[in-house]
Amino acid sequence: MAYNDLSAQYQHLKKEIDAGIAAVIEHTQFISGPQVEELEQALCRYTGRRYCVTVSSGTAALLMALMALGIGPGDAVFVPDFTFFATSEAVSLLGAEPVFCDVLADTFNLDPESLRAQVRRAKKAGRLKPRAVIAVDLYGLPADYPAIEAVCREEGLILIEDAAQGFGGELAGRKACGFGKLSCTSFFPAKPLGCYGDGGAVFTDEEPLYRLLCSLRVHGKGADKYENIRLGLNARLDTLQAAVLLPKLAAFDAENETRNRAAALYSSLLAGSAFSPPGVPAGYRSSWAQYTVRAGSEEERAAARSRLEAAEIPTMVYYPVPLHLQKAYAGLGGKAGDCPVAERLCKTVFSLPMHGYLAPEAVRQVAAALLRR
């Protein structure tokens, strides 16, 4: 059994994907070809955003969003402690300091009360200037934006949505990538909308930010790429990747329905068991980048994963180490107990097979193997 069956997706979309790739090879506009602009317009229509700038990776998207806001040394950017390293890494690369906030045990997303406490603690200490919050849509579920936006208004912070895993999720009818002053996503192959390499996008509703992002994407260009008016990056999305993403975006809603049906079946089969299904609050919809359950302990997780491995069912652990305990951040003085929920999740969560072509029979097979004693 495949954890994320990209081969099944390719076979389903083979004709369209092959034709898209062939068209790029035929016209040879491998950089900034017409498919890139076509994809950006389609992504705007899907998310409801006014502007989209496709880029070379989800990490580049985060970095450019922070650069566009002028984040730098002396600034504090508040991030959830339980997420992939890139969320905080982009902050650190610009000389700013990530401040780690705890998460909610049921949704795995940023805890608004922990955020509020950390912002006020930083203001009281006075060492850093609180500037922004990066809220992550972990595993495909949008964060609690109403509560997070309220904290940002109260404390004078800019909100960035990290929807690297969240594309296709919804909150009260609003699509993921539609929250915050800027939002970012990733097209890494394993994501709900993934290309055949690295890729990403930044979204905004503000034209000045859009024009700044377009400049940053190509070495800080001005009127053309040989006029450089600021420091920027080489962060363009390849035309070939745009050509792969266009048919995948057209098929995305159907695949998302399959993921949601599979998740609902998983949750039904695991209800009342020793493995807690992920929470999806009323009014939310996940795109299920991962279907992640919680075991009762680290030992129970290890035993469950061993049972599944014996049945040739792959699992993954996202993520085994909270950000504040990563070696790269040893200099910030983080210690065990700083973010207890995140630390507990790192020891107990594991993710089951999930993709847009996962059959109900496969879900039942996974659940049966997991619950077998």
Side-chain angles (χ1 to χ4, degrees), residues 182-246:
L182 293 150
S183 54
C184 307
T185 196
S186 169
F187 301 131
F188 184 77
K191 297 296 190 288
L193 180 64
C195 58
Y196 287 167
D198 277 314
V202 191
F203 299 85
T204 186
D205 293 325
E206 300 180 21
E207 185 176 358
L209 277 176
Y210 166 69
R211 299 200 177 282
L212 177 54
L213 289 165
C214 289
S215 171
L216 291 170
R217 175 173 59 177
V218 189
H219 301 286
K221 73 179 184 70
D224 60 62
K225 67 180 181 179
Y226 300 115
E227 179 193 21
N228 306 98
I229 58 178
R230 58 178 59 86
L231 297 178
L233 304 171
N234 176 18
R236 297 164 297 201
L237 179 73
D238 289 342
T239 309
L240 280 167
Q241 300 300 348
V244 169
L245 286 165
L246 281 165

Short mmCIF file of all heavy atoms in Angstrom, two decimals, residues 182-246:
data_model
loop_
_atom_site.label_atom_id
_atom_site.label_comp_id
_atom_site.label_asym_id
_atom_site.label_seq_id
_atom_site.Cartn_x
_atom_site.Cartn_y
_atom_site.Cartn_z
N LEU A 182 -0.89 38.35 3.98
CA LEU A 182 -0.23 37.52 2.99
C LEU A 182 -0.48 36.07 3.35
O LEU A 182 -0.57 35.73 4.53
CB LEU A 182 1.28 37.78 2.97
CG LEU A 182 1.75 39.16 2.49
CD1 LEU A 182 3.04 39.54 3.18
CD2 LEU A 182 1.94 39.16 0.98
N SER A 183 -0.58 35.22 2.36
CA SER A 183 -0.71 33.79 2.62
C SER A 183 0.24 33.04 1.69
O SER A 183 0.55 33.51 0.59
CB SER A 183 -2.14 33.31 2.45
OG SER A 183 -2.64 33.66 1.17
N CYS A 184 0.68 31.88 2.14
CA CYS A 184 1.67 31.11 1.40
C CYS A 184 1.23 29.65 1.30
O CYS A 184 0.58 29.14 2.21
CB CYS A 184 3.03 31.15 2.12
SG CYS A 184 3.64 32.81 2.50
N THR A 185 1.62 29.01 0.21
CA THR A 185 1.39 27.57 0.12
C THR A 185 2.57 26.91 -0.56
O THR A 185 3.46 27.58 -1.10
CB THR A 185 0.08 27.25 -0.63
OG1 THR A 185 -0.28 25.89 -0.38
CG2 THR A 185 0.21 27.46 -2.13
N SER A 186 2.58 25.58 -0.51
CA SER A 186 3.64 24.77 -1.09
C SER A 186 3.05 23.82 -2.11
O SER A 186 1.94 23.31 -1.92
CB SER A 186 4.36 23.98 0.00
OG SER A 186 5.22 23.00 -0.55
N PHE A 187 3.79 23.55 -3.18
CA PHE A 187 3.41 22.55 -4.16
C PHE A 187 4.37 21.37 -4.15
O PHE A 187 4.53 20.67 -5.15
CB PHE A 187 3.35 23.18 -5.56
CG PHE A 187 2.39 24.33 -5.68
CD1 PHE A 187 2.78 25.52 -6.27
CD2 PHE A 187 1.10 24.23 -5.20
CE1 PHE A 187 1.90 26.58 -6.39
CE2 PHE A 187 0.21 25.30 -5.30
CZ PHE A 187 0.62 26.47 -5.90
N PHE A 188 5.03 21.15 -3.00
CA PHE A 188 5.85 19.95 -2.83
C PHE A 188 5.01 18.73 -3.22
O PHE A 188 3.80 18.70 -2.97
CB PHE A 188 6.29 19.88 -1.36
CG PHE A 188 7.23 18.76 -1.04
CD1 PHE A 188 8.56 18.84 -1.38
CD2 PHE A 188 6.78 17.61 -0.38
CE1 PHE A 188 9.44 17.80 -1.08
CE2 PHE A 188 7.63 16.58 -0.07
CZ PHE A 188 8.97 16.67 -0.43
N PRO A 189 5.60 17.72 -3.85
CA PRO A 189 4.80 16.61 -4.40
C PRO A 189 3.83 15.95 -3.43
O PRO A 189 2.77 15.48 -3.84
CB PRO A 189 5.88 15.62 -4.86
CG PRO A 189 7.05 16.48 -5.21
CD PRO A 189 7.02 17.60 -4.22
N ALA A 190 4.16 15.91 -2.13
CA ALA A 190 3.30 15.23 -1.16
C ALA A 190 2.12 16.06 -0.70
O ALA A 190 1.24 15.56 0.00
CB ALA A 190 4.13 14.82 0.06
N LYS A 191 2.07 17.33 -1.09
CA LYS A 191 0.99 18.21 -0.64
C LYS A 191 -0.32 17.88 -1.37
O LYS A 191 -0.31 17.23 -2.42
CB LYS A 191 1.37 19.67 -0.88
CG LYS A 191 2.60 20.13 -0.08
CD LYS A 191 2.33 20.10 1.39
CE LYS A 191 3.42 20.78 2.20
NZ LYS A 191 4.69 20.06 2.27
N PRO A 192 -1.47 18.33 -0.84
CA PRO A 192 -2.75 18.06 -1.52
C PRO A 192 -2.73 18.51 -2.98
O PRO A 192 -3.26 17.81 -3.85
CB PRO A 192 -3.75 18.86 -0.69
CG PRO A 192 -3.18 18.87 0.68
CD PRO A 192 -1.69 18.99 0.47
N LEU A 193 -2.15 19.67 -3.27
CA LEU A 193 -1.92 20.11 -4.64
C LEU A 193 -0.41 20.16 -4.82
O LEU A 193 0.24 21.13 -4.40
CB LEU A 193 -2.55 21.47 -4.91
CG LEU A 193 -2.35 22.01 -6.33
CD1 LEU A 193 -3.03 21.11 -7.37
CD2 LEU A 193 -2.86 23.44 -6.46
N GLY A 194 0.15 19.11 -5.42
CA GLY A 194 1.60 19.01 -5.53
C GLY A 194 2.07 18.92 -6.96
O GLY A 194 1.37 18.38 -7.83
N CYS A 195 3.25 19.46 -7.23
CA CYS A 195 3.84 19.37 -8.57
C CYS A 195 4.83 18.22 -8.61
O CYS A 195 4.80 17.33 -7.75
CB CYS A 195 4.46 20.70 -8.98
SG CYS A 195 5.75 21.33 -7.89
N TYR A 196 5.72 18.21 -9.59
CA TYR A 196 6.70 17.13 -9.74
C TYR A 196 8.11 17.64 -9.40
O TYR A 196 9.09 17.34 -10.07
CB TYR A 196 6.66 16.55 -11.15
CG TYR A 196 5.42 15.70 -11.41
CD1 TYR A 196 5.08 15.33 -12.70
CD2 TYR A 196 4.61 15.26 -10.38
CE1 TYR A 196 3.95 14.55 -12.95
CE2 TYR A 196 3.49 14.49 -10.60
CZ TYR A 196 3.16 14.13 -11.89
OH TYR A 196 2.05 13.35 -12.13
N GLY A 197 8.17 18.41 -8.34
CA GLY A 197 9.42 18.99 -7.84
C GLY A 197 9.05 19.95 -6.74
O GLY A 197 8.07 19.74 -6.03
N ASP A 198 9.82 21.01 -6.59
CA ASP A 198 9.49 22.04 -5.61
C ASP A 198 8.69 23.15 -6.27
O ASP A 198 8.87 23.44 -7.45
CB ASP A 198 10.76 22.62 -4.99
CG ASP A 198 11.29 21.77 -3.84
OD1 ASP A 198 10.47 21.38 -2.99
OD2 ASP A 198 12.49 21.49 -3.81
N GLY A 199 7.84 23.78 -5.47
CA GLY A 199 7.06 24.91 -5.96
C GLY A 199 6.24 25.49 -4.83
O GLY A 199 6.07 24.86 -3.78
N GLY A 200 5.74 26.69 -5.02
CA GLY A 200 4.91 27.33 -4.01
C GLY A 200 4.26 28.58 -4.57
O GLY A 200 4.38 28.89 -5.76
N ALA A 201 3.56 29.31 -3.69
CA ALA A 201 2.89 30.54 -4.12
C ALA A 201 2.68 31.44 -2.92
O ALA A 201 2.53 30.97 -1.79
CB ALA A 201 1.57 30.25 -4.80
N VAL A 202 2.64 32.75 -3.19
CA VAL A 202 2.28 33.77 -2.20
C VAL A 202 1.04 34.49 -2.72
O VAL A 202 0.95 34.82 -3.91
CB VAL A 202 3.41 34.80 -1.98
CG1 VAL A 202 3.10 35.67 -0.76
CG2 VAL A 202 4.76 34.12 -1.83
N PHE A 203 0.09 34.75 -1.82
CA PHE A 203 -1.16 35.42 -2.17
C PHE A 203 -1.32 36.69 -1.35
O PHE A 203 -0.89 36.77 -0.20
CB PHE A 203 -2.36 34.52 -1.87
CG PHE A 203 -2.38 33.22 -2.61
CD1 PHE A 203 -1.69 32.11 -2.13
CD2 PHE A 203 -3.10 33.08 -3.79
CE1 PHE A 203 -1.72 30.90 -2.81
CE2 PHE A 203 -3.14 31.87 -4.47
CZ PHE A 203 -2.45 30.78 -3.98
N THR A 204 -1.97 37.69 -1.95
CA THR A 204 -2.33 38.90 -1.23
C THR A 204 -3.49 39.57 -1.96
O THR A 204 -3.77 39.26 -3.13
CB THR A 204 -1.14 39.87 -1.12
OG1 THR A 204 -1.51 40.98 -0.30
CG2 THR A 204 -0.71 40.38 -2.49
N ASP A 205 -4.16 40.48 -1.29
CA ASP A 205 -5.21 41.28 -1.91
C ASP A 205 -4.74 42.71 -2.18
O ASP A 205 -5.53 43.52 -2.68
CB ASP A 205 -6.45 41.31 -1.01
CG ASP A 205 -7.12 39.96 -0.91
OD1 ASP A 205 -7.12 39.21 -1.91
OD2 ASP A 205 -7.64 39.64 0.18
N GLU A 206 -3.49 43.02 -1.86
CA GLU A 206 -2.98 44.39 -1.95
C GLU A 206 -2.02 44.53 -3.13
O GLU A 206 -0.98 43.87 -3.17
CB GLU A 206 -2.29 44.77 -0.64
CG GLU A 206 -3.22 44.70 0.57
CD GLU A 206 -2.54 45.09 1.87
OE1 GLU A 206 -1.49 45.77 1.80
OE2 GLU A 206 -3.04 44.71 2.94
N GLU A 207 -2.35 45.42 -4.05
CA GLU A 207 -1.54 45.57 -5.26
C GLU A 207 -0.09 45.97 -4.96
O GLU A 207 0.84 45.42 -5.59
CB GLU A 207 -2.17 46.58 -6.21
CG GLU A 207 -1.42 46.68 -7.53
CD GLU A 207 -2.09 47.60 -8.53
OE1 GLU A 207 -3.17 48.15 -8.22
OE2 GLU A 207 -1.54 47.78 -9.64
N PRO A 208 0.19 46.92 -4.04
CA PRO A 208 1.59 47.25 -3.77
C PRO A 208 2.40 46.05 -3.29
O PRO A 208 3.57 45.88 -3.70
CB PRO A 208 1.50 48.33 -2.69
CG PRO A 208 0.15 48.94 -2.88
CD PRO A 208 -0.74 47.81 -3.29
N LEU A 209 1.81 45.22 -2.44
CA LEU A 209 2.51 44.02 -2.00
C LEU A 209 2.74 43.06 -3.16
O LEU A 209 3.79 42.43 -3.27
CB LEU A 209 1.73 43.32 -0.89
CG LEU A 209 1.92 43.84 0.53
CD1 LEU A 209 1.00 43.09 1.50
CD2 LEU A 209 3.37 43.70 0.98
N TYR A 210 1.75 42.93 -4.02
CA TYR A 210 1.88 42.06 -5.19
C TYR A 210 3.05 42.50 -6.06
O TYR A 210 3.88 41.68 -6.48
CB TYR A 210 0.58 42.08 -5.99
CG TYR A 210 0.69 41.48 -7.38
CD1 TYR A 210 0.90 40.11 -7.55
CD2 TYR A 210 0.61 42.31 -8.51
CE1 TYR A 210 1.00 39.58 -8.83
CE2 TYR A 210 0.70 41.77 -9.78
CZ TYR A 210 0.91 40.41 -9.93
OH TYR A 210 1.02 39.88 -11.20
N ARG A 211 3.15 43.79 -6.34
CA ARG A 211 4.22 44.28 -7.20
C ARG A 211 5.58 44.10 -6.52
O ARG A 211 6.58 43.79 -7.19
CB ARG A 211 3.98 45.74 -7.57
CG ARG A 211 2.68 45.93 -8.35
CD ARG A 211 2.63 47.21 -9.14
NE ARG A 211 1.39 47.30 -9.91
CZ ARG A 211 1.16 46.65 -11.05
NH1 ARG A 211 2.12 45.89 -11.56
NH2 ARG A 211 0.02 46.78 -11.69
N LEU A 212 5.62 44.28 -5.21
CA LEU A 212 6.86 44.06 -4.47
C LEU A 212 7.27 42.58 -4.54
O LEU A 212 8.44 42.26 -4.74
CB LEU A 212 6.68 44.50 -3.01
CG LEU A 212 7.85 44.28 -2.06
CD1 LEU A 212 9.14 44.89 -2.59
CD2 LEU A 212 7.52 44.86 -0.69
N LEU A 213 6.31 41.68 -4.38
CA LEU A 213 6.61 40.25 -4.46
C LEU A 213 7.12 39.86 -5.84
O LEU A 213 8.04 39.03 -5.96
CB LEU A 213 5.36 39.44 -4.12
CG LEU A 213 4.91 39.49 -2.65
CD1 LEU A 213 3.48 38.98 -2.52
CD2 LEU A 213 5.85 38.66 -1.77
N CYS A 214 6.53 40.44 -6.89
CA CYS A 214 7.00 40.16 -8.24
C CYS A 214 8.46 40.58 -8.42
O CYS A 214 9.24 39.91 -9.10
CB CYS A 214 6.13 40.87 -9.27
SG CYS A 214 4.47 40.17 -9.45
N SER A 215 8.83 41.69 -7.80
CA SER A 215 10.21 42.16 -7.85
C SER A 215 11.13 41.24 -7.06
O SER A 215 12.19 40.82 -7.54
CB SER A 215 10.30 43.59 -7.31
OG SER A 215 11.64 43.99 -7.16
N LEU A 216 10.71 40.90 -5.85
CA LEU A 216 11.54 40.03 -5.00
C LEU A 216 11.78 38.68 -5.64
O LEU A 216 12.84 38.07 -5.45
CB LEU A 216 10.87 39.85 -3.64
CG LEU A 216 10.81 41.08 -2.74
CD1 LEU A 216 9.91 40.82 -1.53
CD2 LEU A 216 12.21 41.46 -2.27
N ARG A 217 10.81 38.18 -6.39
CA ARG A 217 10.91 36.85 -7.01
C ARG A 217 12.04 36.78 -8.03
O ARG A 217 12.60 35.70 -8.28
CB ARG A 217 9.58 36.51 -7.69
CG ARG A 217 9.58 35.22 -8.46
CD ARG A 217 8.20 34.85 -8.96
NE ARG A 217 7.59 35.86 -9.83
CZ ARG A 217 6.42 35.71 -10.42
NH1 ARG A 217 5.71 34.60 -10.22
NH2 ARG A 217 5.92 36.66 -11.19
N VAL A 218 12.39 37.91 -8.64
CA VAL A 218 13.40 37.93 -9.70
C VAL A 218 14.50 38.92 -9.33
O VAL A 218 14.60 40.02 -9.91
CB VAL A 218 12.78 38.28 -11.07
CG1 VAL A 218 13.82 38.07 -12.19
CG2 VAL A 218 11.57 37.41 -11.35
N HIS A 219 15.26 38.61 -8.30
CA HIS A 219 16.45 39.39 -7.93
C HIS A 219 16.17 40.86 -7.67
O HIS A 219 17.02 41.71 -7.94
CB HIS A 219 17.53 39.25 -9.02
CG HIS A 219 17.96 37.84 -9.28
ND1 HIS A 219 18.75 37.13 -8.41
CD2 HIS A 219 17.68 37.00 -10.31
CE1 HIS A 219 18.97 35.92 -8.89
NE2 HIS A 219 18.32 35.80 -10.04
N GLY A 220 14.99 41.19 -7.17
CA GLY A 220 14.68 42.59 -6.88
C GLY A 220 14.61 43.45 -8.11
O GLY A 220 15.02 44.62 -8.10
N LYS A 221 14.05 42.93 -9.19
CA LYS A 221 14.04 43.63 -10.47
C LYS A 221 13.16 44.88 -10.44
O LYS A 221 12.24 44.99 -9.63
CB LYS A 221 13.56 42.70 -11.59
CG LYS A 221 12.06 42.40 -11.58
CD LYS A 221 11.70 41.50 -12.74
CE LYS A 221 10.20 41.25 -12.81
NZ LYS A 221 9.43 42.44 -13.20
N GLY A 222 13.48 45.80 -11.33
CA GLY A 222 12.66 46.98 -11.53
C GLY A 222 11.85 46.83 -12.80
O GLY A 222 11.04 45.92 -12.93
N ALA A 223 12.11 47.70 -13.78
CA ALA A 223 11.36 47.65 -15.04
C ALA A 223 11.64 46.36 -15.80
O ALA A 223 10.79 45.85 -16.52
CB ALA A 223 11.70 48.87 -15.90
N ASP A 224 12.86 45.82 -15.67
CA ASP A 224 13.20 44.53 -16.26
C ASP A 224 14.22 43.85 -15.36
O ASP A 224 14.67 44.43 -14.36
CB ASP A 224 13.71 44.67 -17.70
CG ASP A 224 14.97 45.53 -17.77
OD1 ASP A 224 15.99 45.13 -17.16
OD2 ASP A 224 14.94 46.58 -18.43
N LYS A 225 14.60 42.65 -15.71
CA LYS A 225 15.45 41.86 -14.81
C LYS A 225 16.89 42.37 -14.74
O LYS A 225 17.67 41.91 -13.90
CB LYS A 225 15.43 40.39 -15.22
CG LYS A 225 16.08 40.07 -16.55
CD LYS A 225 16.00 38.58 -16.83
CE LYS A 225 16.66 38.22 -18.14
NZ LYS A 225 16.61 36.76 -18.39
N TYR A 226 17.25 43.30 -15.60
CA TYR A 226 18.59 43.87 -15.55
C TYR A 226 18.63 45.21 -14.82
O TYR A 226 19.67 45.85 -14.75
CB TYR A 226 19.18 43.98 -16.96
CG TYR A 226 19.28 42.64 -17.63
CD1 TYR A 226 18.54 42.34 -18.75
CD2 TYR A 226 20.10 41.63 -17.10
CE1 TYR A 226 18.60 41.09 -19.34
CE2 TYR A 226 20.18 40.38 -17.68
CZ TYR A 226 19.43 40.11 -18.80
OH TYR A 226 19.50 38.87 -19.37
N GLU A 227 17.48 45.65 -14.34
CA GLU A 227 17.42 46.80 -13.44
C GLU A 227 17.06 46.27 -12.06
O GLU A 227 15.95 45.79 -11.83
CB GLU A 227 16.37 47.82 -13.89
CG GLU A 227 16.29 49.02 -12.94
CD GLU A 227 15.06 49.88 -13.17
OE1 GLU A 227 14.08 49.39 -13.76
OE2 GLU A 227 15.07 51.05 -12.74
N ASN A 228 17.99 46.35 -11.13
CA ASN A 228 17.78 45.77 -9.81
C ASN A 228 17.66 46.89 -8.79
O ASN A 228 18.61 47.62 -8.52
CB ASN A 228 18.94 44.84 -9.46
CG ASN A 228 19.15 43.78 -10.53
OD1 ASN A 228 20.01 43.92 -11.39
ND2 ASN A 228 18.33 42.75 -10.50
N ILE A 229 16.45 47.03 -8.21
CA ILE A 229 16.18 48.17 -7.33
C ILE A 229 16.16 47.77 -5.86
O ILE A 229 16.00 48.62 -5.00
CB ILE A 229 14.85 48.84 -7.72
CG1 ILE A 229 13.69 47.84 -7.66
CG2 ILE A 229 14.95 49.44 -9.12
CD1 ILE A 229 12.33 48.44 -7.97
N ARG A 230 16.32 46.49 -5.59
CA ARG A 230 16.39 45.98 -4.21
C ARG A 230 17.04 44.61 -4.24
O ARG A 230 17.20 44.01 -5.32
CB ARG A 230 14.99 45.90 -3.59
CG ARG A 230 14.03 45.01 -4.37
CD ARG A 230 12.67 44.91 -3.72
NE ARG A 230 12.02 46.20 -3.56
CZ ARG A 230 11.28 46.80 -4.49
NH1 ARG A 230 11.11 46.21 -5.68
NH2 ARG A 230 10.71 47.95 -4.27
N LEU A 231 17.40 44.08 -3.09
CA LEU A 231 17.88 42.71 -3.02
C LEU A 231 16.69 41.76 -3.06
O LEU A 231 15.68 41.99 -2.40
CB LEU A 231 18.68 42.48 -1.74
CG LEU A 231 19.96 43.29 -1.59
CD1 LEU A 231 20.62 42.99 -0.25
CD2 LEU A 231 20.93 43.01 -2.73
N GLY A 232 16.81 40.73 -3.85
CA GLY A 232 15.72 39.76 -3.96
C GLY A 232 16.25 38.35 -4.04
O GLY A 232 17.34 38.04 -3.55
N LEU A 233 15.47 37.49 -4.66
CA LEU A 233 15.81 36.07 -4.77
C LEU A 233 15.66 35.62 -6.21
O LEU A 233 15.07 36.30 -7.04
CB LEU A 233 14.86 35.24 -3.90
CG LEU A 233 14.76 35.58 -2.41
CD1 LEU A 233 13.61 34.80 -1.79
CD2 LEU A 233 16.06 35.27 -1.70
N ASN A 234 16.19 34.44 -6.49
CA ASN A 234 15.85 33.73 -7.73
C ASN A 234 14.82 32.68 -7.32
O ASN A 234 15.17 31.59 -6.87
CB ASN A 234 17.08 33.08 -8.34
CG ASN A 234 16.74 32.26 -9.57
OD1 ASN A 234 15.68 32.42 -10.17
ND2 ASN A 234 17.64 31.37 -9.95
N ALA A 235 13.53 33.01 -7.41
CA ALA A 235 12.50 32.17 -6.80
C ALA A 235 11.32 31.94 -7.73
O ALA A 235 10.18 31.84 -7.28
CB ALA A 235 12.04 32.81 -5.50
N ARG A 236 11.58 31.81 -9.02
CA ARG A 236 10.48 31.61 -9.98
C ARG A 236 10.04 30.15 -10.01
O ARG A 236 10.85 29.24 -9.84
CB ARG A 236 10.93 32.04 -11.38
CG ARG A 236 11.26 33.51 -11.49
CD ARG A 236 12.05 33.82 -12.74
NE ARG A 236 13.35 33.13 -12.74
CZ ARG A 236 14.39 33.50 -13.48
NH1 ARG A 236 14.29 34.55 -14.27
NH2 ARG A 236 15.53 32.83 -13.43
N LEU A 237 8.76 29.93 -10.25
CA LEU A 237 8.24 28.59 -10.49
C LEU A 237 8.52 28.21 -11.94
O LEU A 237 8.23 28.98 -12.86
CB LEU A 237 6.73 28.54 -10.24
CG LEU A 237 6.06 27.18 -10.48
CD1 LEU A 237 6.41 26.20 -9.38
CD2 LEU A 237 4.54 27.34 -10.58
N ASP A 238 9.09 27.03 -12.16
CA ASP A 238 9.36 26.57 -13.52
C ASP A 238 8.05 26.40 -14.30
O ASP A 238 7.04 25.96 -13.76
CB ASP A 238 10.08 25.23 -13.50
CG ASP A 238 11.52 25.34 -13.01
OD1 ASP A 238 12.06 26.45 -13.01
OD2 ASP A 238 12.09 24.30 -12.63
N THR A 239 8.11 26.72 -15.59
CA THR A 239 6.93 26.56 -16.43
C THR A 239 6.46 25.11 -16.47
O THR A 239 5.25 24.83 -16.50
CB THR A 239 7.21 27.06 -17.86
OG1 THR A 239 7.77 28.38 -17.80
CG2 THR A 239 5.94 27.10 -18.69
N LEU A 240 7.39 24.17 -16.47
CA LEU A 240 7.02 22.75 -16.49
C LEU A 240 6.17 22.39 -15.26
O LEU A 240 5.21 21.63 -15.37
CB LEU A 240 8.26 21.87 -16.54
CG LEU A 240 8.92 21.70 -17.91
CD1 LEU A 240 10.30 21.08 -17.76
CD2 LEU A 240 8.05 20.84 -18.82
N GLN A 241 6.53 22.94 -14.11
CA GLN A 241 5.75 22.66 -12.90
C GLN A 241 4.36 23.28 -12.99
O GLN A 241 3.38 22.69 -12.53
CB GLN A 241 6.50 23.16 -11.66
CG GLN A 241 7.87 22.53 -11.45
CD GLN A 241 7.81 21.02 -11.28
OE1 GLN A 241 6.75 20.44 -11.11
NE2 GLN A 241 8.97 20.38 -11.33
N ALA A 242 4.27 24.46 -13.57
CA ALA A 242 2.95 25.08 -13.76
C ALA A 242 2.09 24.21 -14.67
O ALA A 242 0.88 24.04 -14.43
CB ALA A 242 3.11 26.48 -14.35
N ALA A 243 2.71 23.64 -15.71
CA ALA A 243 1.97 22.79 -16.62
C ALA A 243 1.47 21.52 -15.94
O ALA A 243 0.39 21.01 -16.28
CB ALA A 243 2.85 22.42 -17.82
N VAL A 244 2.22 21.01 -14.98
CA VAL A 244 1.79 19.84 -14.20
C VAL A 244 0.65 20.22 -13.26
O VAL A 244 -0.31 19.47 -13.08
CB VAL A 244 2.98 19.25 -13.41
CG1 VAL A 244 2.50 18.22 -12.39
CG2 VAL A 244 3.99 18.63 -14.36
N LEU A 245 0.74 21.40 -12.67
CA LEU A 245 -0.24 21.82 -11.67
C LEU A 245 -1.60 22.17 -12.26
O LEU A 245 -2.63 22.00 -11.59
CB LEU A 245 0.30 23.01 -10.88
CG LEU A 245 1.39 22.67 -9.86
CD1 LEU A 245 2.10 23.94 -9.39
CD2 LEU A 245 0.80 21.92 -8.66
N LEU A 246 -1.64 22.63 -13.48
CA LEU A 246 -2.93 23.05 -14.07
C LEU A 246 -3.94 21.90 -14.13
O LEU A 246 -5.08 22.06 -13.66
CB LEU A 246 -2.70 23.68 -15.44
CG LEU A 246 -2.21 25.12 -15.40
CD1 LEU A 246 -1.65 25.54 -16.76
CD2 LEU A 246 -3.34 26.06 -14.97
#
